[in-house]
Amino acid sequence: MTAEPNPAIAFSMDDFEHALTEHDYHFEQGQVITGKIFEHLSDGVLVDIGGKSPGFSPLRDALLAGETDAHTALPVGETVEFLIVRGQNAEGQVTLSRRKLAEQRVWEDLAQAAEAGNSVQMRVTGSNRGGVTGDVQGLRGFIPNSHLVDKNIDNLMGQLLTVNFLEFDQERRKLVLSQRYAAQAEVMRRLSIGSLVSGTVVNIKPYGVFIELDGMTGLLHRSQISAKPVDQLEALFSIGQTVRVLITDIEENNSRISLSLQALEKFPGEVIEQFDAVQTNAEERVEAARKKLNLV
């Protein structure tokens, strides 16, 4: 009795090559694929991506920041995602990059943060005449001197700074950031309408008094000082003076804070006549002030 041929044995290498030829593989630049580490070479790694030829990733593209040994970072048999950075050559081999895929995903995450107005962190690594440079999740960021809170560059080296976006341009690989805006945004989040706060007078203009509140500046408009007209603002206020005021409005988009003393008055003109008393008993007046402003 003659045994039937085993179909698996009858499937020759020529048949296998023909099957691969018939299978329509599409590997294009910019495509994200998953493959298994197949072999380590002196200048990179070969990756089985299911095509006619294994993909190739040069060492500079295979390793991420902080990785130095491909055998450790990418052991044979490990399943890894790569970005195709160059299409198929004559042998059907594509060039892959794990580093550029990671970088692309960082740009995507930062784009979402910039769109939402969220802050990120930058590790300061260097400086130039215009400001400081640093690392933002592996990308290079720059903070102009005018947008630093601490202007002592030596103190900033190696520091992790919370920053907001000034300019975001992925095509030009440009990240310009602001520590000052991030600090202001944090102050704005801590402040609330109807709160009694202490600040320092930093400027006096004909239309009102500017008061610094933990890095942010609020405006005590002339009309909000007292229910009676104030003839001379300098008679009540001086630069550097500490003043307790009520927050009546916050415009986060414009970084504007509106303040009031008038709301704390028990009678029109009390701030003018008894300024110190209004300041001393400010806490006792807050609830009535909130009701007067319809903030409760």
Side-chain angles (χ1 to χ4, degrees):
M1 182 176 180
T2 305
E4 292 294 325
N6 188 326
I9 297 174
F11 194 77
S12 68
M13 289 302 297
D14 290 338
D15 294 328
F16 180 68
E17 180 66 26
H18 180 68
L20 285 176
T21 302
E22 287 189 335
H23 198 290
D24 191 15
Y25 289 98
H26 289 288
F27 296 123
E28 299 178 356
Q29 184 175 344
Q31 181 181 350
V32 177
I33 60 170
T34 301
K36 283 189 177 182
I37 305 303
F38 178 69
E39 184 180 351
H40 291 96
L41 305 177
S42 60
D43 58 347
V45 294
L46 295 177
V47 185
D48 181 2
I49 55 175
K52 297 179 185 178
S53 301
F56 175 69
S57 183
L59 285 178
R60 66 179 182 278
D61 284 298
L63 299 177
L64 304 181
E67 296 177 346
T68 57
D69 179 53
H71 292 80
T72 303
L74 299 167
V76 172
E78 181 94 350
T79 299
V80 183
E81 281 189 311
F82 290 89
L83 179 71
I84 296 178
V85 293
R86 189 177 298 117
Q88 291 172 287
N89 60 17
E91 288 74 37
Q93 187 176 76
V94 297
T95 303
L96 309 171
S97 178
R98 180 168 163 250
R99 178 179 58 83
K100 288 183 179 177
L101 176 60
E103 183 180 288
Q104 176 177 291
R105 287 175 171 168
V106 169
W107 278 109
E108 290 170 357
D109 290 344
L110 293 181
Q112 292 180 4
E115 179 70 23
N118 295 334
S119 60
V120 294
Q121 293 190 312
M122 185 185 96
R123 178 80 65 184
V124 178
T125 58
S127 65
N128 54 41
R129 292 178 60 185
V132 297
T133 57
D135 181 274
V136 184
Q137 299 181 42
L139 303 180
R140 184 182 184 275
F142 173 71
I143 307 175
N145 286 323
S146 60
H147 283 270
L148 289 170
V149 174
D150 183 357
K151 298 296 194 293
N152 189 324
I153 304 301
D154 291 337
N155 289 344
L156 296 176
M157 288 301 153
Q159 295 296 315
L160 194 63
L161 306 182
T162 300
V163 294
N164 278 7
F165 295 90
L166 280 177
E167 186 176 352
F168 180 93
D169 190 335
Q170 181 174 351
E171 186 174 333
R172 296 168 58 200
R173 299 176 60 81
K174 191 173 185 180
L175 280 179
V176 184
L177 309 158
S178 173
Q179 184 193 22
R180 180 162 59 85
Y181 282 175
Q184 290 175 350
E186 179 58 31
V187 172
M188 294 287 277
R189 279 192 288 269
R190 292 200 302 266
L191 299 177
S192 60
I193 296 174
S195 296
L196 181 71
V197 293
S198 292
T200 303
V201 175
V202 292
N203 206 350
I204 301 173
K205 295 290 185 181
Y207 53 85
V209 179
F210 288 94
I211 299 174
E212 184 177 315
L213 308 169
D214 194 19
M216 290 294 295
T217 302
L219 174 62
L220 176 60
H221 194 271
R222 193 180 195 106
S223 63
Q224 286 299 314
I225 293 173
S226 175
K228 283 188 175 181
V230 180
D231 294 332
Q232 294 291 329
L233 297 185
E234 288 80 4
L236 294 175
F237 305 97
S238 59
I239 303 298
Q241 175 185 1
T242 299
V243 183
R244 305 173 83 185
V245 289
L246 195 76
I247 297 176
T248 59
D249 192 28
I250 297 175
E251 297 180 37
E252 290 193 30
N253 291 338
N254 299 318
S255 297
R256 291 180 182 172
I257 304 171
S258 299
L259 308 171
S260 177
L261 268 176
Q262 177 189 324
L264 299 173
E265 289 186 321
K266 291 182 179 179
F267 59 86
E270 185 181 13
V271 166
I272 301 172
E273 299 173 18
Q274 302 177 25
F275 185 90
D276 291 342
V278 174
Q279 290 290 291
T280 301
N281 303 317
E283 287 98 340
E284 303 169 9
R285 302 163 181 261
V286 171
E287 187 175 350
R290 289 172 179 165
K291 291 179 179 178
K292 188 187 300 186
L293 297 170
N294 295 317
L295 299 178
V296 292

